[in-house]
Amino acid sequence: MEYAWENPTKLYVGLESMTKLFDTIEEKKVLLLFGGGSIRRNGAWEDVHALAEERGIEIVQKGNVRANPIYSFVKEATEIVLESGAEAILAVGGGSVLDTAKAIVVDVQLSREGVEGKDVWDCYLGELPVPGASEHTMPIYACDYMTATGSGMNTNSVLQRKIEGSSDEKKCFLGNASLYPKALAINPKYMTTLSPYHVASIAFDGFTHISEYLLLQMQNKDKAIPRAGRFYLTSLQKSLFDSLDRLVNPEGLSEEEVLSTYASLGWAATQALNFSVYPGDGAVQSAAS
């Protein structure tokens, strides 16, 4: 079996992770991308603006990313980037925010490189190659406190678009090595305001991602996970549900122990889909496409 893997995303976990994330940002005008009201409830909003002001970073913002991101929102955000001259994206929230950020990066790059008659949706349809890294590729910085999809440390993105003449929407996927976030912060403080449903979703999503791959690789022995990798993946699954159990039943846990458990949950869910022990199609697509 041949196997190579590289993940260029720098990961920070802990209460100082947002500060460390900002220490990696070199650009001076950044698009802040976020979802609904959670960014204000958990304190991330105040932290982002305070850290940006300290470093002289101008924030341009676009909020209300919905679950399962949509094409029309991406086009609106692309216009904001092109008009404002934003140089990077700071995605704060969860998987949908990060998926949207990756779509915006592709759409902006196509526009800046003068591609006519095509846009990001053609890439999701597979009718246009995703452009590789170039001077027009905007870096993504991420703070992921809803880590269910692991999008903060992989290249994956899904996008939906309404089908003309129908109330239905078409959902498509893309991935490219140019879409790895440059750095990721997992701050357990922001996770403490998640509902029990969302905490459980992180654990179950991570568990399912691992289970899907373990089952699929059994059908192709040429791409079987190394023995050590199987132990690692199943250990991650155990960690996810151990963390969930502690957070659902926190009696007797100190504040420090609760925060540590949230950090473990976020870390394990992110590792579940960053292709670290996924030889074959996943590793090739993420590391080499």
Side-chain angles (χ1 to χ4, degrees):
M1 180 183 66
E2 298 288 338
Y3 180 32
W5 177 71
E6 177 184 8
N7 191 313
T9 303
K10 190 160 190 175
L11 172 62
Y12 299 103
V13 181
L15 297 177
E16 297 300 318
S17 58
M18 183 69 93
T19 300
K20 293 175 180 177
L21 177 70
F22 264 85
D23 288 341
T24 70
I25 299 177
E26 301 174 352
E27 295 76 17
K28 290 302 180 183
K29 182 177 284 191
V30 173
L31 174 69
L32 171 62
L33 194 66
F34 57 96
S38 63
I39 189 175
R40 291 181 171 85
R41 290 193 300 272
N42 62 26
W45 179 269
E46 290 79 4
D47 289 348
V48 165
H49 285 82
L51 289 165
E53 184 175 358
E54 288 174 8
R55 290 159 175 76
I57 298 173
E58 181 181 350
I59 295 291
V60 181
Q61 59 195 47
K62 174 70 171 168
N64 297 314
V65 174
R66 74 169 214 186
N68 294 311
I70 55 174
Y71 170 80
S72 59
F73 184 99
V74 170
K75 299 304 292 185
E76 292 172 5
T78 295
E79 287 303 311
I80 291 174
V81 169
L82 294 175
E83 291 176 5
S84 68
E87 305 164 275
I89 297 177
L90 173 58
V92 180
S96 293
V97 176
L98 278 152
D99 284 4
T100 301
K102 294 169 188 177
I104 295 167
V105 167
V106 174
D107 204 37
V108 168
Q109 183 170 345
L110 291 172
S111 178
R112 287 177 171 169
E113 292 181 354
V115 176
E116 297 183 1
K118 299 284 186 180
D119 72 356
V120 65
W121 186 244
D122 297 289
C123 295
Y124 279 90
L125 292 174
E127 297 174 359
L128 181 69
V130 179
S134 78
E135 61 180 325
H136 299 293
T137 306
M138 297 175 69
I140 298 171
Y141 302 91
C143 174
D144 191 358
Y145 49 80
M146 180 62 193
T147 55
T149 66
S151 297
M153 208 171 179
N154 66 38
T155 67
N156 298 350
S157 175
V158 295
L159 189 66
Q160 294 188 160
R161 186 177 185 180
K162 184 168 287 189
I163 300 172
E164 190 172 348
S166 169
S167 60
D168 295 333
E169 293 179 320
K170 185 178 180 68
K171 188 173 185 177
C172 296
F173 163 90
L174 63 71
N176 186 273
S178 64
L179 300 178
Y180 276 112
K182 189 171 183 179
L184 167 65
I186 297 176
N187 191 323
K189 179 182 73 171
Y190 305 148
M191 299 176 72
T192 58
T193 61
L194 294 174
S195 69
Y197 170 83
H198 286 105
V199 173
S201 294
I202 293 173
F204 276 91
D205 268 20
F207 184 92
T208 302
H209 291 146
I210 294 170
S211 298
E212 286 174 341
Y213 196 79
L214 287 170
L215 292 171
L216 287 172
Q217 65 87 33
M218 291 171 64
Q219 301 175 14
N220 190 337
K221 298 301 182 183
D222 293 334
K223 297 176 180 177
I225 299 173
R227 184 176 179 83
R230 292 198 298 273
F231 280 125
Y232 175 60
L233 288 173
T234 53
S235 295
L236 283 176
Q237 289 181 316
K238 185 177 185 304
S239 176
L240 286 165
F241 279 102
D242 284 351
S243 296
L244 177 61
D245 181 56
R246 286 165 63 87
L247 292 170
V248 171
N249 303 287
E251 293 80 6
L253 295 180
S254 66
E255 181 181 357
E256 182 179 355
E257 288 172 325
V258 169
L259 289 170
S260 177
T261 304
Y262 273 114
S264 293
L265 178 68
W267 180 88
T270 299
Q271 298 298 314
L273 202 58
N274 73 353
F275 305 112
S276 54
V277 286
Y278 287 32
D281 291 341
V284 170
Q285 178 186 8
S286 295
S289 60

